[in-house]
Amino acid sequence: MLKIGITGGIGSGKSTISKIFEILGIPVYYADDRAKDILVRDPQLAAQVKQHFGEAVYNADGSLNRKYLGNIVFNNKEKLELLNSLVHPATIRDSDEWALQQHAPYVLKEAALLFETSSFHHLDKIIAVFAPQPLRVHRVMKRDNITRNEVMARIYKQIDETIKMRLSDFVIHNDEQHMIIPQVLAIHEQLLALSAGQ
C-alpha cells in the first residue's frame, strides 16, 4: 500500500482537498487532529509535555489547553521545536500503525509539517496544496477568528511555499481560479496506477 503525504501552508485548503479524496474511498490520517488526541491519550507523552511546558498545558478534565500551549509555542521558536520533537515521533508511529489497518490502494497523511520534520521520509509521494498567501491569510483569519499578525506568525513557522511545491510530486492549485475536482481525479488515477504496479 502506498503512503501519500498531503501538505500545504496554513489556510491552503489541504483538509478540504483531503475530504475529496475520502469521498473517492481513500482513508486520510489527519496528523494535527491525531497529534492532539495522542497528546491526551499517550501518558508518557503527556508527562513529557507537562515537564517542559507546565501542568497548565492540561485542563482539570485531562484535555489539552490548546490556547495556553499555542501561546507558548507560536511565539517561541525553541519551544515550538521542543514540542515538535516530542510529538512528531509519536505521530509517525501512530500513522504507521493506522496505515496497517487500512484496506485501500493508498492512504493519505494530511499534515502541515511534512518537510519541516522527518515525516516525509516515511512517505512514497507528496501532494502539495497551493494557495496565494493573501487568500490563505484571509481564510485563516475568518476560520480561527484571529488577527492578520497572528496568522503571519504561524506562516513564518512553515517553510516557504515555493520550496514546498518544488519538493512535492504533485501540486493542487486551490486558489479559486482552478477547478479542484479535475486536479484531484487526475492525481487519484495516477496513484491508483502506481499502487497497481507495486
Side-chain angles (χ1 to χ4, degrees):
M1 177 193 300
L2 291 174
K3 294 179 189 171
I4 311 299
I6 183 163
T7 192
I10 186 170
S12 61
K14 58 193 173 298
S15 296
T16 303
I17 302 297
S18 297
K19 299 287 183 205
I20 299 169
F21 279 98
E22 282 188 295
I23 291 167
L24 296 171
I26 301 304
V28 180
Y29 179 94
Y30 292 94
D32 288 351
D33 292 342
R34 294 287 288 225
K36 287 167 195 155
D37 181 50
I38 294 166
L39 275 162
V40 174
R41 193 167 33 91
D42 184 329
Q44 184 184 347
L45 179 59
Q48 290 176 318
V49 172
K50 282 179 189 173
Q51 179 188 337
H52 292 287
F53 298 97
E55 295 287 329
V57 169
Y58 290 89
N59 297 312
D61 64 359
S63 63
L64 187 66
N65 186 339
R66 290 175 54 196
K67 190 167 179 63
Y68 176 83
L69 185 59
N71 286 337
I72 295 172
V73 299
F74 282 122
N75 298 312
N76 185 317
K77 189 180 178 196
E78 289 76 25
K79 295 280 189 189
L80 180 62
E81 286 172 357
L82 173 60
L83 180 65
N84 286 340
S85 74
L86 299 173
V87 175
H88 286 305
T91 308
I92 290 167
R93 279 194 309 275
D94 185 63
S95 68
D96 287 343
E97 289 166 11
W98 171 88
L100 291 172
Q101 297 164 13
Q102 307 309 311
H103 304 284
Y106 67 92
V107 295
L108 282 184
K109 179 178 184 178
E110 188 261 24
L113 307 176
L114 282 181
F115 297 117
E116 293 86 344
T117 68
S118 61
S119 298
F120 73 99
H121 293 301
H122 302 263
L123 301 164
D124 298 299
K125 297 284 180 189
I126 308 286
I127 302 166
V129 181
F130 174 79
Q133 187 172 292
L135 180 56
R136 291 166 50 213
V137 171
H138 173 74
R139 285 174 180 165
V140 178
M141 285 173 66
K142 191 174 172 185
R143 180 190 74 195
D144 295 350
N145 195 25
I146 57 175
T147 67
R148 185 181 190 284
N149 287 345
E150 288 174 301
V151 179
M152 292 309 295
R154 293 180 188 185
I155 284 174
Y156 292 139
K157 301 284 188 290
Q158 299 178 345
I159 66 168
D160 185 80
E161 284 295 279
T162 53
I163 296 170
K164 239 175 222 184
M165 300 308 124
R166 280 204 309 270
L167 292 171
S168 298
D169 301 286
F170 306 97
V171 176
I172 293 175
H173 293 270
N174 185 20
D175 54 8
E176 299 180 359
Q177 305 297 314
H178 296 79
M179 291 177 66
I180 298 297
I181 305 289
Q183 295 180 77
V184 171
L185 289 174
I187 293 170
H188 178 61
E189 292 302 321
Q190 290 179 67
L191 292 174
L192 288 178
L194 275 174
S195 71
Q198 273 193 318

